């Protein structure tokens, strides 16, 4: 009997820091050995000429999530994870979304049950906190954080989701005391409200005005404020979906000052612009997301941020809504921009787009690609080293890439249920031909072989940066002037 269940041979193995040609041996779902040459496995995959990468981790995606308007995403945990797997992603971290009045404990249990029944790859959850009552803050969140739900998402905008600055301080305090990372949707709600009301009053209701109604300064202001509040309580923070140069510069300034501030951007901010919202008829609705795509110079800024480590992570923000009465057009065929559900699909194309436009075009190298799409997520979320790398003892979550394969993107060939792709007609170079989840070959040359419900809740340890800093002692900490000194 062979020593390994699976051997991957002669590939170029890439981690976030190294590249080497060699073999990987897998046993019982785990990487059992890595060497220049290993004995044959029960199944052998020849990866000559291919890149062997850790499977992607999509650390920001909305799956089977009910919006505050009561609209459900187009994908459920089956279709979303099938789609993710076809694009080389082997772990997803979507949301357990609390709506006001709900128990966070019950919300987490409900989302877990959905994933348990349907997901084909491994998963964990961020908890969205929209109603930080004393019960939630004192009794519900601490045991959930201890159990592994170590990321709390907060919204600074959306009338039905946002928390105010005082509430944000309370959530930051819980994160500090119990060891969680705050992830933030940072846009100034009142600036958006002010702009939106004036646009609508003047009859400017078409999808393209969605972009104008989310002013770039609204993002920079909220990013700055989120960073200041996190600094005040002295906890790390990850700013989600950064879109503008100004917001990126706020993050960079904080990092230069030694603060534990992290940043994310997403495919829509590299590859789309506000002009896409001005497509004929109401087709622009397909491109409405928040924050909105900006302009070419912001795209360049986002590339810089990915290359120079202002951004540590690149996620899809997959939030699919069909272009029909169940989704984008739920308010009728001619909705105002305020009535259009926000979000785009992205789970499947996140990695191929970044590989093609980033690695193949020389903007980032393959190790940076791995860092941005997998390793850094694992480190920030406490999934490392079980996920996010190729090392003995890590889960055998692996994507074997053909770096030269050319693929034409069409809705017919993508596997989510959105019914359109924002990237229709694009050609991408590089595709993950074989995708392996805990040693199971789940996609091979476009053919899926995975059972519904075969994904598992991933193991999540306490990430270094989320180690509890302890209860705030106001006098003492004030004397120390809160902030960067304490983190050094
Ligand atoms: N904006 C969000 O805040 N969430 C989902 C998608 C979007 O566009
Ligand atoms: Zn968001
Ligand atoms: Zn999101």
């Amino acid at each position: 009997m062979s020593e390994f269940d699976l051997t991957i041979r002669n590939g170029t193995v890439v981690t976030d820091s190294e590249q080497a040609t060699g073999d990987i041996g897998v046993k019982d779902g785990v990487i059992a050995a890595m060497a220049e040459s290993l004995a044959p496995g029960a199944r052998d995959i020849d990866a000559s000429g291919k890149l062997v990468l850790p499977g992607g981790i999509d650390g920001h995606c909305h799956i089977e999530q009910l919006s505050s308007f009561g609209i459900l995403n187009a994908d459920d945990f089956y279709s979303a994870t099938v789609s993710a797997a076809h694009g080389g992603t082997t772990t997803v971290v979507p949301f357990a979304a609390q709506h006001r009045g709900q128990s966070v404990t019950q919300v987490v249990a409900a989302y877990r049950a959905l994933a348990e029944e349907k997901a084909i790859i491994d998963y964990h959850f961020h908890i969205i906190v929209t109603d930080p009552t004393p019960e939630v803050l004192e009794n519900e969140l601490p045991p959930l954080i201890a159990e592994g739900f170590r990321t709390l998402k907060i919204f600074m905008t959306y009338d039905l989701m946002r928390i105010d600055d005082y509430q944000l301080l309370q959530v930051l305090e819980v994160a500090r005391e119990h060891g969680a990372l705050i992830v933030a949707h940072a846009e100034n709600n009142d600036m958006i409200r002010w702009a939106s009301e004036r646009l609508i009053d003047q009859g400017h209701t078409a999808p393209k005005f969605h972009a104008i109604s989310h002013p770039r300064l609204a993002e920079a202001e909220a990013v700055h404020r989120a960073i200041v509040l996190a600094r005040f309580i002295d906890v790390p923070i990850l700013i989600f979906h950064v879109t503008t140069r100004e917001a990126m510069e706020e993050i960079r300034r904080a990092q230069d000052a030694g603060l534990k501030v992290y940043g994310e951007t997403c495919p829509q901010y590299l590859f789309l612009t506000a002009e896409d919202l001005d497509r004929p008829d109401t087709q622009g609705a397909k491109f409405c997301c928040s924050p909105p795509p900006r302009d070419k110079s912001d795209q360049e800024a986002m590339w810089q941020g990915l290359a120079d480590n202002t951004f540590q992570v690149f996620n899809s923000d997959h939030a699919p809504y069909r272009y029909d009465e169940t989704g984008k057009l739920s308010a009728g065929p001619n909705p105002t921009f305020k009535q259009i559900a926000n979000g785009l699909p992205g789970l499947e194309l996140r990695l191929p787009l970044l590989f093609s436009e980033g690695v193949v075009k020389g903007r980032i190298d393959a190790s940076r690609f791995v860092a941005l799409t997998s390793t850094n997520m694992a480190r920030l979320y406490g999934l490392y080293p079980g996920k996010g790398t190729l090392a003995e003892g890590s889960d055998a979550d692996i994507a074997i890439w053909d770096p030269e394969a050319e693929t034409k993107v069409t809705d017919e060939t993508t596997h989510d249920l959105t019914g359109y792709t924002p990237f229709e007609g694009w050609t991408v170079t590089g595709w993950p031909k074989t995708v392996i989840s805990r040693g199971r070959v789940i996609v091979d040359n476009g053919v899926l072989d995975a059972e519904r419900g075969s994904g598992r809740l991933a193991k999540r340890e306490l990430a270094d940066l989320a180690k509890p800093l302890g209860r705030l002692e106001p006098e003492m900490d004030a004397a120390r002037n809160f902030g960067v000194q304490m983190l050094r």
Side-chain angles (χ1 to χ4, degrees):
M1 217 177 78
S2 42
E3 189 184 343
F4 304 115
D5 304 328
L6 173 71
T7 315
I8 302 163
R9 304 186 156 286
N10 303 316
T12 302
V13 178
V14 183
T15 67
D16 67 334
S17 56
E18 284 177 304
Q19 295 194 19
T21 304
D23 296 356
I24 294 181
V26 175
K27 182 82 184 161
D28 298 330
V30 169
I31 296 177
M34 293 173 68
E36 237 175 87
S37 177
L38 293 170
R43 178 170 181 179
D44 245 24
I45 297 177
D46 179 15
S48 308
K50 306 265 179 21
L51 299 179
V52 181
L53 269 49
I57 299 174
D58 200 322
H60 177 181
C61 47
H62 302 262
I63 302 179
E64 221 168 328
Q65 188 180 319
L66 195 62
S67 82
S68 53
F69 293 107
I71 302 175
L72 205 55
N73 291 152
D75 281 311
D76 68 4
F77 273 90
Y78 181 72
S79 61
T81 53
V82 166
S83 175
H86 278 280
T89 288
T90 51
T91 305
V92 285
V93 187
F95 299 88
Q98 181 203 30
H99 291 293
R100 290 184 187 149
Q102 292 181 332
S103 147
V104 174
T105 314
Q106 285 174 12
V107 165
V108 168
Y111 278 93
R112 273 185 77 166
L114 294 172
E116 206 170 288
E117 185 200 331
K118 301 175 201 172
I120 67 149
I121 57 175
D122 292 352
Y123 53 85
H124 214 290
F125 293 94
H126 309 287
I127 299 176
I128 291 179
V129 181
T130 58
D131 198 4
T133 60
E135 172 64 15
V136 167
L137 294 170
E138 290 159 26
N139 297 330
E140 293 203 291
L141 287 176
L144 286 166
I145 294 170
E147 212 187 310
F149 296 88
R150 290 196 175 269
T151 34
L152 309 178
K153 164 125 191 234
I154 60 89
F155 285 89
M156 298 169 81
T157 188
Y158 294 132
D159 287 337
L160 298 174
M161 307 286 280
R162 66 184 286 264
I163 57 175
D164 64 25
D165 289 354
Y166 182 77
Q167 293 171 313
L168 175 48
L169 290 169
Q170 290 180 301
V171 178
L172 287 162
E173 189 179 9
V174 169
R176 174 190 164 114
E177 204 171 310
H178 298 281
L181 176 68
I182 298 295
V183 298
H185 180 129
E187 288 186 283
N188 179 306
N189 193 57
D190 288 329
M191 289 168 78
I192 294 167
R193 183 177 156 203
W194 184 93
S196 302
E197 282 173 4
R198 273 148 191 79
L199 287 165
I200 300 267
D201 282 353
Q202 290 162 24
H204 297 316
T205 60
K208 70 175 177 184
F209 293 105
H210 171 72
I212 298 168
S213 76
H214 283 245
R216 48 194 306 125
L217 276 179
E219 181 182 334
E221 187 284 324
V223 167
H224 178 78
R225 185 158 34 102
I227 291 171
V228 169
L229 298 180
R231 180 178 184 178
F232 182 52
I233 301 297
D234 200 358
V235 282
I237 189 165
L238 167 59
I239 308 293
F240 268 174
H241 46 44
V242 177
T243 72
T244 61
R245 185 179 291 279
E246 297 90 311
M248 184 182 79
E249 283 169 356
E250 292 289 348
I251 293 170
R252 191 178 290 149
R253 243 193 311 279
Q255 292 167 344
D256 288 347
L259 298 172
K260 294 198 188 242
V261 173
Y262 304 94
E264 172 206 81
T265 193
C266 313
Q268 42 276 38
Y269 309 118
L270 292 183
F271 306 123
L272 303 175
T273 68
E275 285 180 24
D276 286 302
L277 279 69
D278 195 17
R279 304 249 181 141
D281 308 319
T282 17
Q283 298 278 330
K286 293 178 177 174
F287 300 85
C288 284
C289 58
S290 294
R294 307 289 183 179
D295 62 27
K296 290 270 173 212
S297 106
D298 290 303
Q299 291 182 341
E300 270 322 301
M302 297 304 102
W303 278 113
Q304 276 168 24
L306 289 172
D308 71 13
N309 203 35
T310 307
F311 301 134
Q312 289 68 37
V313 290
F314 181 75
N315 291 312
S316 70
D317 198 7
H318 181 84
Y321 295 100
R322 293 183 64 79
Y323 185 66
D324 64 21
E325 68 290 348
T326 67
K328 294 282 184 185
L329 306 180
S330 62
N334 284 306
T336 70
F337 68 83
K338 285 304 267 184
Q339 297 170 313
I340 297 168
N342 279 202
L344 312 176
L347 269 171
E348 186 161 345
L349 295 176
R350 171 183 73 120
L351 299 181
L353 284 167
L354 187 70
F355 190 92
S356 186
E357 294 294 312
V359 180
V360 176
K361 294 202 172 159
R363 289 170 160 131
I364 54 172
D365 67 15
S367 283
R368 183 73 193 145
F369 176 85
V370 168
L372 288 165
T373 58
S374 185
T375 316
N376 289 349
M377 226 89 60
R379 287 188 200 274
L380 283 169
Y381 293 175
L383 293 160
Y384 190 86
K387 306 281 188 201
T389 194
L390 301 175
E392 285 176 19
S394 295
D395 284 352
D397 287 358
I398 300 169
I400 304 176
W401 284 70
D402 178 344
E404 288 169 3
E406 297 225 327
T407 306
K408 181 145 189 217
V409 172
T410 66
D411 179 50
E412 285 70 45
T413 50
T414 46
H415 297 80
D416 61 79
L417 301 181
T418 318
Y420 71 89
T421 165
F423 305 102
E424 185 73 35
W426 284 50
T427 299
V428 290
T429 304
W431 196 272
K433 292 288 181 183
T434 306
V435 180
I436 298 164
S437 161
R438 275 184 286 104
R440 305 169 296 148
V441 177
I442 55 172
V443 177
D444 200 17
N445 275 312
V447 179
L448 180 76
D449 181 11
E451 294 282 310
R452 257 171 104 83
S454 55
R456 286 193 204 148
L457 189 75
K459 283 199 200 76
R460 220 164 155 186
E461 310 286 340
L462 184 56
D464 264 1
L465 67 91
K467 289 223 163 87
L469 293 170
R471 187 176 284 280
L472 276 170
E473 302 292 349
E475 289 82 8
M476 198 177 77
D477 285 348
R480 282 192 292 183
N481 193 21
F482 283 103
V484 60
Q485 299 91 325
M486 294 169 62
L487 287 173
R488 282 196 174 137

